[in-house]
Amino acid sequence: MKFSVSHGGDKVEERLAKAGVSRRDFMKLCGTVAAVMGMGPAFAPKVAEALTSKRRPSVVWLHNAECTGCSESILRGMNPPFAELILGVISLDYHETIMAAAGEMAEKALHEATHSEHGYVCVVEGAIPTAEDGIYGKVAGRTMLDYNTEYVNKAAAVIAYGTCATYGGVQAAAPNPTKAVGVREITDKPVINISGCPPNPYNLLGTVVHFLQNGIPELDGEGRPVMFFGDSVHDKCPRQKFYDEDKFAESFGDEGARKGYCLLHVGCKGPYTYNNCPTVKFNQTNWPVEAGHPCIGCSEPNFWDAMAPFYEEA
Amino acid sequence: MSGKKPVAAPVKATPKSSYNGPVVVDPVTRIEGHLRIEVEVENGVVADVRSSSQLFRGLEIILKGRDPRDAQHFTQRSCGVCTYTHALASTRCVDNAVGVKIPKNATLIRNLVLAAQFMHDHIVHFYHLHALDWVNVANVLNADPKKAASLSNSLNENRKESAADFAAVKDTVKALIESGQLGPFTNAYFLREGGHDAYYLPAEADLMATKHYLDALKLQVKAARLMAVFGAKNPHTQFTVVGGVTCYEAMTEARLKEFTDLYAETSAFVRNFYIPDLLAVASFYKDWAGIGKTTNFNACGEFPEDEYDLNSRFLPQGTILNNDISKVYDFDPTQIEEHVKYSWYEYGSPKHPYAGETKPKYTKLGDKEHYSWMKAPRLDGKSTEVGPLAQVLVAFARGHKPVVDAVNYVLKYLNVGPEALFSTLGRTAARGIETLVIANQTQVWLDEFKANIASGDKEIYTEWEMPDEAQGVGFVNAPRGTLSHWIDIKKGKISNFQLVVPSTWNLGPRDDSGVMGPVEEALMGTPIFDPMRPVEILRTVHSYDPCIACGVHVIDSKTGQTRKFRIL
């Protein structure tokens, strides 16, 4: 299916302004996305161009076995608020957490969006329960397995957003009672994995920008965009200098903890975890290690089993 | 909160159809998780209800055998909307099991982050999950921006909104509709051809609420940041540990200032926008003070001074029975039992959370005898509602001054008696009252925290030892109500972990005696105007702010003895 995008259509700014998005806010957002993508500030106009097609790209967001934290990360985590841009930049045609319609009228919206000639980007949140033909999770009377297979396979592009959609997440931790899996297990289509529990929303927006401009970005062995997941958390950690000096917290109450020393000995999984938390941060302000808590490795496959116990040195 | 009362029309008669037959709402949107509501309508009125949870995850099974310290990270993934509440419940639960007494600063920091969670959660609920049940966005096109500005400014002296602000929002809505890509508003119930009679607001009130819907989208980013200042991130905070908290940074001048400024902005929005908007909208929908009634309520109270003493909580614990607010009983968690007769599990008699045994046994959709992955928790055998209405009623009945004052203000504003609280409108108003009282009290905790640091107390963590065997319980009165986590530790590992969750209390199915759960009871008798667009069902279901992912658990434990725990 063809996906229509025409960059920098007519009267884009006017349309954004009408949608309550100021040019200043919009360019600020584009600058942030450019920075997260590892580009200089000069790249911001390119981001802006990608995000302002004539017809707003349609996005269909599916919820499965999840906690809605991934949706929340988008709503709560971006500044200027990405939610505002929903009205001006994309057309969020199906998203159970925020859509006005419910029941049959919601299903109708999903049908219209997924049968439109213009195509759609499918973002998947949550794992897909596959045990006993998928009975452990249903939406509108259909198993999530059935429902995701159809809408993922029809999409112009598929993004698995969050550790549940990418690798199965918490419900897939041993013994995985519902045989929950990530999206790649149910389709042969290329799926871009943006992991994290929750992920950083800028990693999603950066991926969308890259996709609109140059197609699928370079992915690592776990299907994640290298530009966001190329370095370990430890590599970029501001506390790395203490690691180099052999200065560690040995408990959460000792002098090392008070002084902000390296948390490796109280369980930090930063050296084994690939993500950009230390540089991009969350909610524009903080991230676990800065709050004195070890990284639990939440963007790695199978982290609930591989990284636990979380408070023991690996 | 001061402001002029809008002149509302007399109480409307709720419109209904003459429809007979089933109505199924699946998916119920603007909630967390997967919920299906099946009702039977007779002559335009709901005559039978089944609330059916559609997802099973099995977190309790997954927790078995793991390190008790790790439980909070797993359980927090119950829900990313009411994030932090499960992490806190699990941490309190393990604190309780190992018997550690955490420092005063740690309690204050935990309380401050929870207060921020309440403000964020309830603002988002009112504007983004609930408002579209009452507000007709399409009607904005008929509004006069000048009149909308004067309406809005008349509601609160701190509002300084201009006609141009409202004209811009009207343009936004117009542009969206003209683009033909309605996005999240596609097929909204209010877009019904010929109009939807169940929406009553004047166009200017619809425009005002739509503008504040957009404003609240921006504000809630800051409310979430307020949590992250101490809590590392939102969703899914990462700063609590058994024995206290880890965020030494919270005691630095920079972090304290950041928290103070964001708190000032968030709480001002609660006072100047959320509460006046809630009251203005409610004044047009007073017929809903007679719809959505339930009978019994429980709350475990919240914001402790001493983490182990339920009676040291700022909002008090208690139980209200048979809509009688002249009496309030102590909340007794030893009386909790869960029933499974109507759930998708093999049958077993009702059990206390420490002593159940359950095996999933799915039948099919539309089965009237087995219809939900949720169980039916009961307190002393009774179906009890939890959440803001329960907490406000308990506090009101106990004469808690800030709550009494706020409730009386609301009742006077709407010109209704206390019986109006027992309704969908009362439930939605109670959420605002709870937010306001917590937002005001946060200043007290923040001042106390600053004074404690200034006095030289910099302790946020207490060392402790993991026992070989122990049991513990942690209670959190979360934004959605009574939440308890129960742990049984053997050989230093989790032998059994249970969550009894607000949405299970509220949205669970019938019990062994066939008595409905609260949301089922509340939906009975609801008039339905258009069975294809049953906004009336959404109003009552959303008034509970459902969180279905939390509510779906399986107990898989060996029969054990109910332990005596010291909480009251």
Side-chain angles (χ1 to χ4, degrees), chain A residues 145-205:
Chain A
L145 180 58
D146 172 37
Y147 173 94
N148 279 263
T149 306
E150 176 181 351
Y151 300 122
V152 161
N153 286 337
K154 272 197 185 131
V158 185
I159 297 173
Y161 186 65
T163 298
C164 294
T166 51
Y167 314 123
V170 68
Q171 48 277 311
N176 194 352
T178 62
K179 298 292 168 277
V181 300
V183 183
R184 282 186 165 205
E185 307 290 316
I186 64 150
T187 183
D188 295 332
K189 278 184 85 88
V191 176
I192 303 170
N193 281 340
I194 299 173
S195 60
C197 187
N200 200 304
Y202 288 107
N203 295 350
L204 175 67
L205 201 51

Coordinates of all heavy atoms in Angstrom, one line a residue, chain A residues 145-205:
Chain A
L145 N -4.8 -11.3 19.1 CA -3.9 -11.9 18.1 C -4.5 -11.7 16.7 O -3.8 -11.4 15.8 CB -3.9 -13.4 18.5 CG -3.0 -14.3 17.6 CD1 -1.6 -13.9 17.5 CD2 -3.1 -15.8 18.1
D146 N -5.8 -12.0 16.6 CA -6.5 -11.8 15.3 C -6.5 -10.4 14.8 O -6.1 -10.1 13.7 CB -7.9 -12.3 15.6 CG -8.8 -12.1 14.4 OD1 -8.3 -12.3 13.2 OD2 -10.0 -11.8 14.6
Y147 N -6.8 -9.5 15.7 CA -7.0 -8.1 15.5 C -5.6 -7.4 15.1 O -5.5 -6.8 14.1 CB -7.5 -7.6 16.8 CG -7.8 -6.2 17.1 CD1 -9.0 -5.7 17.0 CD2 -6.8 -5.5 17.8 CE1 -9.3 -4.4 17.4 CE2 -7.0 -4.2 18.2 CZ -8.3 -3.7 18.0 OH -8.5 -2.4 18.5
N148 N -4.6 -7.8 15.8 CA -3.3 -7.2 15.5 C -2.7 -7.7 14.2 O -2.1 -7.0 13.4 CB -2.2 -7.5 16.6 CG -2.4 -6.5 17.7 OD1 -1.6 -5.6 17.8 ND2 -3.3 -6.8 18.6
T149 N -2.9 -9.0 13.9 CA -2.4 -9.6 12.7 C -3.0 -8.9 11.5 O -2.3 -8.5 10.6 CB -2.8 -11.1 12.6 OG1 -2.3 -11.7 13.8 CG2 -2.2 -11.8 11.4
E150 N -4.3 -8.6 11.6 CA -4.9 -7.9 10.4 C -4.4 -6.5 10.3 O -4.0 -6.1 9.2 CB -6.5 -7.8 10.6 CG -7.1 -7.0 9.5 CD -8.6 -6.8 9.6 OE1 -9.3 -7.5 10.5 OE2 -9.2 -6.0 8.9
Y151 N -4.4 -5.7 11.4 CA -4.1 -4.3 11.2 C -2.6 -4.0 11.1 O -2.2 -3.0 10.4 CB -4.7 -3.4 12.3 CG -6.2 -3.6 12.3 CD1 -6.9 -4.0 13.5 CD2 -6.9 -3.3 11.2 CE1 -8.2 -4.2 13.4 CE2 -8.3 -3.4 11.2 CZ -9.0 -3.9 12.3 OH -10.3 -4.0 12.3
V152 N -1.7 -4.9 11.6 CA -0.3 -4.7 11.5 C 0.1 -5.1 10.0 O 0.8 -4.3 9.4 CB 0.4 -5.7 12.5 CG1 1.9 -5.9 12.0 CG2 0.4 -5.1 13.9
N153 N -0.5 -6.1 9.5 CA -0.2 -6.5 8.1 C -0.6 -5.6 7.1 O 0.0 -5.5 6.0 CB -0.7 -8.0 7.9 CG 0.2 -9.0 8.6 OD1 1.3 -8.7 8.9 ND2 -0.4 -10.2 8.8
K154 N -1.7 -4.8 7.4 CA -2.2 -3.8 6.4 C -1.4 -2.5 6.4 O -1.6 -1.7 5.5 CB -3.6 -3.5 6.7 CG -4.6 -4.5 6.1 CD -6.0 -3.8 6.2 CE -7.1 -4.8 5.7 NZ -8.2 -4.9 6.6
A155 N -0.6 -2.2 7.4 CA -0.1 -0.9 7.7 C 1.0 -0.6 6.7 O 1.7 -1.5 6.2 CB 0.4 -0.8 9.1
A156 N 1.2 0.7 6.4 CA 2.4 1.2 5.6 C 3.7 1.1 6.4 O 4.7 0.8 5.8 CB 2.1 2.7 5.2
A157 N 3.6 1.3 7.7 CA 4.7 1.1 8.6 C 4.3 0.6 9.9 O 3.2 1.0 10.4 CB 5.5 2.4 8.7
V158 N 5.1 -0.1 10.6 CA 4.7 -0.6 11.9 C 5.8 -0.3 12.9 O 7.0 -0.6 12.7 CB 4.6 -2.2 11.9 CG1 4.0 -2.7 13.3 CG2 3.6 -2.6 10.8
I159 N 5.4 0.3 14.0 CA 6.3 0.7 15.1 C 5.8 0.0 16.4 O 4.6 0.2 16.8 CB 6.4 2.2 15.3 CG1 6.9 2.9 14.1 CG2 7.2 2.5 16.6 CD1 6.9 4.4 14.1
A160 N 6.6 -0.9 16.9 CA 6.3 -1.5 18.2 C 6.9 -0.5 19.3 O 8.1 -0.3 19.3 CB 7.0 -2.8 18.3
Y161 N 6.0 0.1 20.1 CA 6.4 1.1 21.0 C 6.3 0.6 22.5 O 5.2 0.4 23.0 CB 5.5 2.3 20.8 CG 5.9 3.6 21.6 CD1 7.1 4.2 21.4 CD2 5.1 4.1 22.6 CE1 7.5 5.3 22.1 CE2 5.5 5.2 23.4 CZ 6.7 5.8 23.1 OH 7.0 6.9 23.9
G162 N 7.5 0.4 23.1 CA 7.5 0.0 24.4 C 8.0 -1.5 24.5 O 7.8 -2.2 23.6
T163 N 8.5 -1.8 25.7 CA 9.1 -3.1 25.9 C 8.0 -4.3 25.7 O 8.4 -5.4 25.4 CB 9.8 -3.2 27.2 OG1 10.9 -2.2 27.1 CG2 10.5 -4.5 27.5
C164 N 6.8 -4.0 26.0 CA 5.8 -5.1 25.8 C 5.5 -5.4 24.4 O 5.5 -6.5 23.9 CB 4.4 -4.7 26.5 SG 4.5 -4.6 28.3
A165 N 5.4 -4.3 23.6 CA 5.1 -4.5 22.1 C 6.4 -5.0 21.4 O 6.3 -5.7 20.4 CB 4.7 -3.2 21.5
T166 N 7.6 -4.7 21.9 CA 8.8 -5.1 21.3 C 9.1 -6.6 21.7 O 9.4 -7.4 20.8 CB 10.0 -4.2 21.6 OG1 10.0 -4.0 23.0 CG2 9.8 -2.8 20.9
Y167 N 9.2 -6.8 23.0 CA 9.7 -8.1 23.4 C 8.7 -8.9 24.3 O 9.1 -9.9 24.9 CB 11.0 -8.0 24.1 CG 12.0 -7.0 23.4 CD1 12.5 -5.9 24.0 CD2 12.3 -7.3 22.0 CE1 13.4 -5.1 23.3 CE2 13.2 -6.5 21.3 CZ 13.7 -5.3 22.0 OH 14.6 -4.5 21.3
G168 N 7.5 -8.4 24.5 CA 6.6 -9.1 25.4 C 6.4 -8.5 26.7 O 5.3 -8.7 27.3
G169 N 7.4 -7.9 27.3 CA 7.3 -7.2 28.5 C 6.9 -8.0 29.7 O 7.2 -9.2 29.8
V170 N 6.3 -7.3 30.7 CA 6.1 -7.9 32.0 C 5.3 -9.1 32.0 O 5.5 -10.1 32.7 CB 5.6 -6.8 33.0 CG1 4.1 -6.4 32.6 CG2 5.7 -7.3 34.4
Q171 N 4.2 -9.1 31.1 CA 3.4 -10.3 31.1 C 4.1 -11.5 30.5 O 3.6 -12.7 30.6 CB 2.0 -10.1 30.5 CG 2.0 -9.4 29.2 CD 2.1 -7.9 29.3 OE1 1.3 -7.3 30.0 NE2 3.0 -7.3 28.6
A172 N 5.2 -11.3 29.8 CA 6.0 -12.4 29.2 C 7.1 -12.9 30.1 O 7.8 -13.8 29.7 CB 6.5 -11.9 27.8
A173 N 7.2 -12.2 31.3 CA 8.2 -12.7 32.2 C 7.9 -14.1 32.7 O 6.7 -14.5 32.7 CB 8.3 -11.8 33.4
A174 N 8.9 -14.9 33.0 CA 8.7 -16.3 33.4 C 7.6 -16.4 34.5 O 7.6 -15.6 35.4 CB 10.0 -16.9 33.9
P175 N 6.6 -17.4 34.4 CA 6.5 -18.4 33.3 C 5.6 -18.0 32.1 O 5.2 -18.9 31.4 CB 5.9 -19.5 34.1 CG 5.0 -18.8 35.1 CD 5.7 -17.5 35.4
N176 N 5.5 -16.7 31.9 CA 4.6 -16.2 30.8 C 3.3 -17.0 30.6 O 3.1 -17.7 29.7 CB 5.5 -16.3 29.5 CG 4.8 -15.5 28.3 OD1 3.7 -15.0 28.5 ND2 5.5 -15.4 27.2
P177 N 2.4 -16.8 31.6 CA 1.2 -17.6 31.7 C 0.3 -17.5 30.4 O -0.4 -18.4 30.1 CB 0.4 -17.1 32.9 CG 1.4 -16.2 33.6 CD 2.5 -15.8 32.7
T178 N 0.4 -16.3 29.7 CA -0.5 -16.1 28.6 C 0.2 -16.2 27.3 O -0.3 -15.9 26.2 CB -1.3 -14.8 28.6 OG1 -0.3 -13.7 28.6 CG2 -2.1 -14.6 29.9
K179 N 1.5 -16.7 27.3 CA 2.3 -16.8 26.1 C 2.3 -15.5 25.3 O 2.0 -15.4 24.1 CB 2.0 -18.0 25.2 CG 2.1 -19.3 26.0 CD 3.6 -19.6 26.2 CE 3.8 -20.8 27.2 NZ 3.7 -20.5 28.6
A180 N 2.5 -14.4 26.1 CA 2.5 -13.0 25.4 C 3.8 -12.8 24.6 O 4.9 -13.2 25.1 CB 2.4 -12.0 26.5
V181 N 3.7 -12.2 23.4 CA 4.8 -12.0 22.6 C 4.8 -10.6 22.0 O 3.8 -9.9 22.1 CB 4.8 -13.0 21.4 CG1 4.9 -14.4 21.8 CG2 3.6 -12.8 20.5
G182 N 6.0 -10.2 21.5 CA 6.0 -8.9 20.8 C 5.6 -9.0 19.4 O 5.3 -10.1 18.9
V183 N 5.4 -7.8 18.8 CA 4.8 -7.7 17.4 C 5.6 -8.6 16.4 O 5.0 -9.2 15.5 CB 4.7 -6.3 16.9 CG1 4.0 -6.2 15.6 CG2 3.9 -5.4 18.0
R184 N 6.9 -8.6 16.5 CA 7.7 -9.3 15.5 C 7.4 -10.8 15.4 O 7.7 -11.4 14.4 CB 9.2 -9.1 15.7 CG 9.7 -7.7 15.3 CD 11.2 -7.6 15.4 NE 11.6 -6.4 14.6 CZ 12.9 -6.3 14.2 NH1 13.8 -7.3 14.4 NH2 13.2 -5.2 13.5
E185 N 6.8 -11.3 16.5 CA 6.5 -12.7 16.5 C 5.3 -13.1 15.8 O 5.0 -14.2 15.5 CB 6.4 -13.2 18.0 CG 7.5 -12.9 18.9 CD 8.7 -13.7 18.6 OE1 8.6 -14.9 18.4 OE2 9.8 -13.1 18.6
I186 N 4.5 -12.0 15.4 CA 3.2 -12.4 14.8 C 3.1 -11.9 13.3 O 2.1 -12.0 12.7 CB 2.0 -11.8 15.5 CG1 2.0 -10.3 15.6 CG2 1.9 -12.4 17.0 CD1 0.6 -9.7 15.6
T187 N 4.2 -11.3 12.8 CA 4.2 -10.8 11.4 C 5.5 -11.0 10.8 O 6.6 -11.0 11.5 CB 3.7 -9.3 11.4 OG1 3.6 -8.9 10.1 CG2 4.7 -8.4 12.1
D188 N 5.5 -11.0 9.4 CA 6.8 -11.0 8.7 C 7.2 -9.6 8.2 O 8.2 -9.4 7.6 CB 6.7 -11.9 7.5 CG 6.4 -13.4 7.9 OD1 6.9 -13.7 9.0 OD2 5.8 -14.1 7.2
K189 N 6.3 -8.7 8.5 CA 6.6 -7.3 8.1 C 7.7 -6.7 8.8 O 8.0 -7.1 10.0 CB 5.3 -6.4 8.4 CG 4.3 -6.5 7.3 CD 3.2 -5.5 7.7 CE 3.5 -4.1 7.2 NZ 3.0 -3.9 5.8
P190 N 8.5 -5.8 8.3 CA 9.5 -5.1 9.1 C 8.8 -4.3 10.2 O 7.9 -3.5 9.9 CB 10.2 -4.2 8.0 CG 9.3 -4.1 6.8 CD 8.4 -5.3 6.9
V191 N 9.3 -4.5 11.4 CA 8.8 -3.8 12.5 C 9.9 -3.0 13.2 O 11.0 -3.5 13.4 CB 8.2 -4.7 13.6 CG1 7.7 -4.0 14.8 CG2 7.0 -5.5 13.0
I192 N 9.7 -1.7 13.4 CA 10.7 -0.9 14.1 C 10.4 -1.0 15.6 O 9.3 -0.7 16.1 CB 10.7 0.6 13.7 CG1 10.8 0.7 12.2 CG2 11.7 1.4 14.4 CD1 10.5 2.1 11.6
N193 N 11.4 -1.5 16.4 CA 11.3 -1.6 17.8 C 11.8 -0.4 18.6 O 12.9 0.0 18.5 CB 12.0 -2.8 18.3 CG 11.3 -4.1 18.0 OD1 10.1 -4.2 17.8 ND2 12.0 -5.2 18.0
I194 N 10.9 0.2 19.3 CA 11.3 1.3 20.2 C 11.0 0.8 21.6 O 9.9 0.9 22.1 CB 10.6 2.6 19.9 CG1 10.9 3.0 18.5 CG2 11.0 3.7 20.9 CD1 10.2 4.2 17.9
S195 N 12.0 0.3 22.3 CA 11.8 -0.3 23.6 C 12.0 0.7 24.7 O 12.4 1.8 24.5 CB 12.7 -1.5 23.8 OG 14.1 -1.1 23.7
G196 N 11.6 0.2 25.9 CA 11.7 1.1 27.1 C 10.4 0.9 27.9 O 9.4 0.6 27.3
C197 N 10.5 1.1 29.2 CA 9.3 0.8 30.0 C 9.1 2.0 31.0 O 9.4 1.9 32.1 CB 9.4 -0.5 30.8 SG 7.9 -1.0 31.6
P198 N 8.5 3.1 30.5 CA 8.1 3.3 29.1 C 9.3 3.8 28.3 O 10.3 4.2 28.8 CB 7.0 4.5 29.2 CG 7.5 5.3 30.4 CD 8.1 4.3 31.3
P199 N 9.1 3.9 26.9 CA 10.2 4.4 26.1 C 10.2 6.0 26.2 O 9.3 6.6 26.7 CB 9.7 4.1 24.7 CG 8.5 3.2 24.8 CD 7.9 3.5 26.1
N200 N 11.3 6.5 25.7 CA 11.3 8.0 25.6 C 10.5 8.4 24.4 O 10.8 8.0 23.3 CB 12.7 8.5 25.5 CG 12.8 9.9 25.9 OD1 12.1 10.8 25.4 ND2 13.5 10.2 27.0
P201 N 9.5 9.3 24.5 CA 8.7 9.7 23.4 C 9.4 10.3 22.2 O 9.0 10.2 21.1 CB 7.7 10.6 24.0 CG 8.2 11.1 25.3 CD 9.1 10.0 25.8
Y202 N 10.6 11.0 22.5 CA 11.3 11.6 21.5 C 11.9 10.5 20.5 O 12.2 10.8 19.4 CB 12.5 12.5 22.0 CG 11.9 13.7 22.7 CD1 11.9 13.9 24.0 CD2 11.4 14.7 21.8 CE1 11.3 15.1 24.6 CE2 10.8 15.9 22.4 CZ 10.8 16.1 23.8 OH 10.3 17.2 24.3
N203 N 12.2 9.3 21.1 CA 12.7 8.3 20.2 C 11.6 7.8 19.2 O 11.9 7.4 18.1 CB 13.1 7.1 21.1 CG 14.3 7.4 22.0 OD1 14.9 8.5 21.8 ND2 14.6 6.5 22.9
L204 N 10.3 7.9 19.6 CA 9.3 7.6 18.6 C 9.2 8.7 17.6 O 9.1 8.4 16.4 CB 7.9 7.5 19.4 CG 6.7 7.3 18.5 CD1 6.7 6.0 17.8 CD2 5.4 7.5 19.2
L205 N 9.1 10.0 18.0 CA 9.0 11.1 17.1 C 10.2 11.1 16.1 O 10.0 11.3 14.9 CB 8.8 12.4 17.8 CG 8.2 13.5 17.1 CD1 6.8 13.1 16.5 CD2 7.9 14.7 18.0

